[in-house]
């Protein structure tokens, strides 16, 4: 068994303020990468710039990362970083800015970076140091080496082959306070997908499964919040974030599986949010797992049986409608990917994949 966890995780109230000296230790000038509004709205950007200023570090801000960031956006951020001679990168936001920060940090390490370098697996996975400050509770990108980008020429999203782990992850539930209920539901479903897919991965072992089972327990504390039955407290925000980080630690070892693979086409074609696009496949995916695994997963997540779980997912995502041609395109792409089909603990043939896709 190999357990590799190169990220230093600070999961605590005021994590950014508490670790200003360590943030400043990565260089003289930072490129801060964010989405358009949420980094400022959540207060995370202010916390980061406060500590940089206090420690006498310069910074510049690239705040144009869209949801499901494109290769073109990464190139824009890289041009800014090169023009400003930055020596480290701070990603603040959901998975989109965090993944963008990793991809940009990889290219910024190259002398004359080009978009094609992102997918050149012969290049070493070297990068400028990355610091990650998550503001959503879904991707776990702060603890994974993965960066998923939209590739318009292929009409889908594709992970870059390089593994760029942040040096430190600064996790603070307070940044979720500015998020809408919908955004929290979507991203918490992504975290749930990571844990279920990780547990059912062929690469799962005792270490990754222990992380999943503990993560599911933490996730289950927010079930009623996600169902809209309770307002979150500070502790709930911290639990939502923590479950997402646990899920990230698990997929950093195992990778994701079929719900994620199918989701990328739904997101590309329908602009469906990532967590929703993964979450809607979870009941049909779990039905294909062994009875023992299904029971273990559902029990840890606080569900009596698969019917209760199916109902719950419908409560989270009541009006999802995927046109047949999009689902067929998703199926066609994933069914042609032999590595994906072989990655599950249970056997997957085309019939099984059809059932998971609901075709
Ligand atoms: P996101 O795309 O980063 O953000 C979704 C929306 O939420 C944006 O409009 C964003 O606003 C807003 N937002 C973020 N934090 C907020 C806050 N605290 N308050 C208010 N609004 C907030 O969402 P995500 O689901 O976290 O990330 C999805 C991306 O991550 C996808 O590209 C997916 O493929 C990738 N992903 C990566 C991994 C990995 O291991 N690296 C794993 C799973 C998914 P702004 O635009 O203003 O920021
Ligand atoms: Fe995901």
């Amino acid at each position: 068994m190999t357990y590799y966890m190169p990220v230093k995780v600070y999961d605590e109230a005021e994590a950014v303020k508490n670790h200003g000296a360590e943030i400043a230790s990565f260089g003289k000038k930072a490129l801060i990468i964010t989405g358009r509004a949420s980094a400022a709205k959540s207060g995370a950007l202010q916390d980061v710039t406060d500590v940089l200023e206090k420690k006498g570090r310069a910074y510049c801000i690239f705040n144009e990362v869209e949801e499901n960031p494109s290769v073109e956006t990464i190139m824009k951020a890289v041009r800014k970083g090169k023009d400003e001679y930055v020596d480290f990168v701070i990603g603040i936001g959901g998975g989109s800015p965090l993944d963008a920060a990793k991809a940009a940090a990889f290219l910024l390490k190259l002398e004359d970076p080009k978009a094609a370098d992102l997918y050149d697996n012969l290049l070493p996975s070297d990068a400028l140091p990355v610091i990650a400050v998550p503001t959503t509770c879904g991707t776990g990108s702060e603890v994974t080496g993965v960066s998923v980008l939209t590739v318009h020429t292929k009409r889908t999203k594709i992970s870059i082959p390089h593994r760029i782990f942040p040096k430190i992850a600064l996790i603070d539930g307070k940044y979720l306070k500015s998020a809408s209920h919908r955004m929290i539901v979507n991203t918490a479903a992504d975290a749930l997908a990571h844990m279920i897919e990780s547990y059912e991965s062929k690469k799962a072992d005792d270490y990754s499964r222990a992380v999943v089972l503990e993560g599911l327990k933490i996730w289950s504390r927010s079930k009623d919040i996600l169902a809209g039955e309770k307002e979150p407290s500070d502790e709930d925000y911290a639990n939502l974030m923590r479950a997402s980080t646990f899920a990230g630690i698990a997929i950093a070892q195992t990778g994701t599986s079929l719900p994620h693979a199918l989701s990328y086409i739904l997101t590309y074609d329908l602009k469906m949010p990532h967590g929703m696009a993964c979450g809607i496949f979870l009941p049909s995916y779990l039905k294909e797992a062994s009875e023992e695994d299904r029971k273990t997963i559902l029990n840890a997540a606080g569900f009596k049986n698969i019917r209760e779980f199916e109902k719950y997912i419908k409560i989270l995502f009541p009006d999802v409608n995927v046109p047949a041609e999009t689902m067929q395109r998703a199926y066609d792409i994933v069914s042609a990917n032999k590595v994906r089909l072989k990655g599950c603990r249970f056997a997957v043939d085309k019939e099984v994949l059809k059932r998971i896709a609901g075709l």
Side-chain angles (χ1 to χ4, degrees):
M1 277 183 279
T2 314
Y3 194 77
Y4 183 56
M5 179 62 194
V7 190
K8 198 188 233 185
V9 178
Y10 294 112
D11 175 352
E12 65 202 35
E14 304 303 340
V16 171
K17 282 185 198 156
N18 295 346
H19 301 284
E22 195 166 342
I23 295 171
S25 73
F26 288 102
K28 291 196 176 76
K29 186 164 188 179
L31 171 63
I32 300 177
I33 296 191
T34 73
R36 295 219 177 251
S38 70
K41 218 167 103 187
S42 64
L45 180 61
Q46 190 70 50
D47 284 352
V48 167
T49 55
D50 280 353
V51 299
L52 291 173
E53 282 166 21
K54 208 163 147 201
K55 302 284 171 196
R57 294 295 183 265
Y59 60 86
C60 58
I61 301 174
F62 179 83
N63 66 356
E64 295 172 44
V65 180
E66 73 278 40
E67 290 184 41
N68 309 295
S70 63
V71 170
E72 290 76 8
T73 300
I74 306 305
M75 293 313 292
K76 240 174 136 179
V78 168
R79 275 193 293 278
K80 179 155 189 122
K82 283 284 183 197
D83 288 348
E84 300 266 353
Y85 297 98
V86 300
D87 40 21
F88 65 119
V89 179
I90 304 178
I92 306 174
S96 298
L98 299 190
D99 284 9
K102 295 175 191 172
F106 165 74
L107 288 180
L108 281 166
K109 187 85 183 182
L110 302 173
E111 214 163 283
D112 180 22
K114 295 176 200 61
D117 297 333
L118 283 168
Y119 289 94
D120 182 347
N121 54 17
L122 296 177
L123 290 170
S125 286
D126 290 342
L128 294 188
V130 177
I131 295 171
V133 185
T135 66
T136 67
C137 50
T139 71
S141 180
E142 67 278 7
V143 287
T144 76
V146 175
S147 169
V148 191
L149 305 178
T150 296
V151 183
H152 287 300
T153 47
K154 302 233 164 102
R155 290 175 58 218
T156 188
K157 292 166 52 173
I158 308 175
S159 299
I160 65 171
H162 309 285
R163 289 296 170 260
I164 314 297
F165 283 90
K167 296 284 180 212
I168 52 176
L170 298 151
I171 298 155
D172 190 338
K174 76 171 180 177
Y175 299 137
L176 282 178
K177 287 186 188 176
S178 58
S180 65
H181 178 69
R182 182 36 57 202
M183 193 281 266
I184 289 184
V185 169
N186 289 344
T187 59
D190 186 23
L192 181 64
H194 293 162
M195 291 190 274
I196 294 178
E197 291 175 47
S198 173
Y199 197 91
E200 285 305 306
S201 165
K202 250 190 199 150
K203 290 190 193 149
D205 60 21
D206 287 348
Y207 286 89
S208 66
R209 280 201 199 98
V211 172
V212 168
L213 294 180
E214 196 56 34
L216 286 171
K217 270 194 227 158
I218 299 169
W219 184 92
S220 73
R221 294 177 197 147
S222 306
K223 266 171 60 191
D224 46 359
I225 290 162
L226 300 176
E229 290 160 6
K230 196 187 138 206
E231 283 302 309
S233 65
D234 287 356
E235 195 187 333
D236 294 321
Y237 286 125
N239 278 326
L240 281 159
M241 277 276 193
R242 192 160 302 148
S244 159
T245 302
F246 267 66
I249 293 171
I251 53 164
Q253 310 305 318
T254 61
T256 56
S257 176
L258 299 173
H260 267 70
L262 291 165
S263 83
Y264 293 150
I265 290 87
L266 271 56
T267 294
Y268 193 87
D269 284 4
L270 311 173
K271 307 258 170 298
M272 190 183 284
H274 174 69
M276 180 190 284
C278 297
I280 57 171
F281 293 111
L282 292 178
S284 56
Y285 178 71
L286 210 43
K287 277 182 192 168
E288 301 298 333
S290 72
E291 197 177 343
E292 191 189 345
D293 284 4
R294 189 163 52 245
K295 271 191 183 155
T296 307
I297 290 169
L298 290 173
N299 182 40
F303 296 98
K304 280 200 225 69
N305 52 45
I306 188 76
R307 278 180 304 284
E308 194 183 88
F309 181 62
E310 207 163 10
K311 257 193 185 155
Y312 183 80
I313 292 292
K314 284 226 170 77
I315 292 171
L316 300 191
F317 305 117
D319 317 302
V320 180
N321 186 12
V322 180
E325 66 263 29
T326 297
M327 198 60 96
Q328 188 64 43
R329 191 167 94 80
Y331 168 82
D332 289 344
I333 289 180
V334 178
S335 67
N337 186 337
K338 295 210 169 63
V339 179
R340 279 290 199 194
L341 297 184
K342 282 193 185 144
C344 286
R345 227 156 110 76
F346 53 88
V348 179
D349 59 19
K350 294 199 170 178
E351 286 312 307
V352 171
L353 183 64
K354 265 191 190 156
R355 285 201 293 273
I356 294 173
L359 284 169

